[in-house]
Amino acid sequence: MEKKKVLVTGASRGIGRAIAFTLSKHYSLILHASKPESLASLMDELGDGHEVLCANFSDVEETKAFCSALKKLAGPSLYGVVNNAGIALDKPLMYQSMNDMDKMLNINVKAPLLIAKTALKLFIGNKEGVMINIGSCVGETGNGFQVVYAMTKAAMVTMSKSIAKEIALIDKSLNIRAITVSPGFIDTDMTKNLSEAVKEKYLEMIPSSYFGHPNEVANVVQFALSAEAKYINGTNIAVNGGIV
Ligand SMILES: NC(=O)c1ccc[n+]([C@@H]2O[C@H](COP(=O)([O-])OP(=O)(O)OC[C@H]3O[C@@H](n4cnc5c(N)ncnc54)[C@H](OP(=O)(O)O)[C@@H]3O)[C@@H](O)[C@H]2O)c1
């Protein structure tokens, strides 16, 4: 039987790469990064059966073109979307440039929103589909020097909840779900440049006493996508070692 298709954005590094490896055993993947070169080594390791579709999401026109191409490439076989690509440009709000704010809003919010708009039409045509939006613990708690980033991640929580409710209003028989998976501090490029002092401070807030491994997020995403998770919908799943 032909494998169902799942789009994973930001699959080249960190959490997205771990999600790609985990899902590749079960699905035919459409892998996204900002540029094809970012995905060369991953494609070598995964082998045949997966496709690449790239776009720089800081440019909204590129994101729109990406969505049109997604529609053609995946069409009726699209079963899942993992909106994972994201950036954090940390700075006190009073020093944050418009350019950096726009970048975070375009990559972290507008791209998942436009992808959701495209994917939902395909899901409704299929009468099934699962959308996973990657949030963050700071989307719930807020965080100093991450005002814009935290806002963009809170938006993922509301987007999943609202999509779940909207689908029920359209047709209760549709087997379509939207879920947020919100990691805590995970050992990736995004966190590697934190100073030792900042890392120590965060570690004190994490009952599990370590920064998570990308696989620990990927395993939850895999479960959330599966039919076994059919009754998980609209909610925000925290994968954060109990951070307060
Ligand atoms: N790491 C954490 O502690 C943590 C915690 C909570 C939530 N998260 C969330 O988890 C997700 C993945 O984080 P990560 O730590 O794995 O990040 P990462 O290692 O920095 O990887 C970021 C991914 O996003 C892609 N990306 C960056 N800029 C892009 C752009 N302009 N257009 C398109 N794609 C772009 C990158 O592609 P290229 O390789 O081509 O640049 C890469 O695949 C993000 O949404 C992040 O907010 C992370």
Side-chain angles (χ1 to χ4, degrees):
M1 206 173 78
E2 212 170 283
K3 283 184 180 167
K4 292 176 176 178
K5 288 196 179 181
V6 175
L7 166 72
V8 182
T9 70
S12 54
R13 295 184 272 129
I15 295 170
R17 191 179 174 96
I19 291 172
F21 268 110
T22 305
L23 298 186
S24 66
K25 297 158 203 148
H26 308 276
Y27 304 99
S28 168
L29 301 179
I30 299 173
L31 299 164
H32 159 273
S34 68
K35 48 192 181 307
E37 305 87 273
S38 307
L39 288 166
S41 73
L42 177 67
M43 286 302 279
D44 278 350
E45 287 182 62
L46 291 184
D48 293 340
H50 309 287
E51 292 158 296
V52 166
L53 190 58
C54 290
N56 175 3
F57 290 159
S58 63
D59 178 340
V60 179
E61 291 310 313
E62 267 201 45
T63 306
K64 286 185 193 162
F66 173 88
C67 290
S68 304
L70 175 67
K71 207 160 126 188
K72 286 197 191 107
L73 188 64
S77 328
L78 191 68
Y79 167 76
V81 165
V82 185
N83 273 319
N84 164 77
I87 58 162
L89 302 170
D90 299 354
K91 229 173 225 180
L93 180 59
M94 58 191 158
Y95 300 125
Q96 193 101 59
S97 68
M98 276 311 289
N99 194 35
D100 281 359
M101 286 194 212
D102 283 342
K103 259 193 186 168
M104 281 186 274
L105 290 167
N106 287 349
I107 297 168
N108 298 4
V109 180
K110 281 193 194 157
L113 194 58
L114 291 173
I115 291 167
K117 183 172 148 72
T118 304
L120 286 174
K121 277 191 195 150
L122 300 172
F123 288 174
I124 287 171
N126 289 341
K127 295 189 182 303
E128 70 164 7
V130 187
M131 169 156 309
I132 310 287
N133 298 306
I134 301 296
S136 165
C137 58
V138 303
E140 194 184 349
T141 61
N143 202 17
F145 307 144
Q146 289 196 319
V147 173
V148 183
Y149 175 73
M151 284 172 63
T152 66
K153 291 295 158 181
M156 293 301 95
V157 176
T158 322
M159 184 166 98
S160 302
K161 277 190 207 300
S162 303
I163 288 173
K165 290 184 177 177
E166 187 167 289
I167 290 296
L169 291 175
I170 293 169
D171 180 350
K172 287 192 193 315
S173 74
L174 293 168
N175 184 18
I176 297 173
R177 300 180 288 122
I179 299 162
T180 306
V181 172
S182 288
F185 286 86
I186 308 296
D187 202 1
T188 71
D189 287 352
M190 195 177 266
T191 48
K192 78 173 181 204
N193 292 328
L194 294 175
S195 70
E196 284 310 312
V198 170
K199 280 187 186 168
E200 278 304 317
K201 193 189 90 183
Y202 286 137
L203 279 174
E204 279 168 20
M205 295 157 62
I206 304 172
S208 293
S209 306
Y210 67 96
F211 277 20
H213 189 278
N215 283 339
E216 291 173 306
V217 180
N219 292 336
V220 174
V221 169
Q222 188 203 323
F223 178 70
L225 269 177
S226 72
E228 282 74 26
K230 198 174 168 200
Y231 205 50
I232 301 178
N233 195 8
T235 196
N236 181 17
I237 306 175
V239 189
N240 62 24
I243 196 166
V244 283

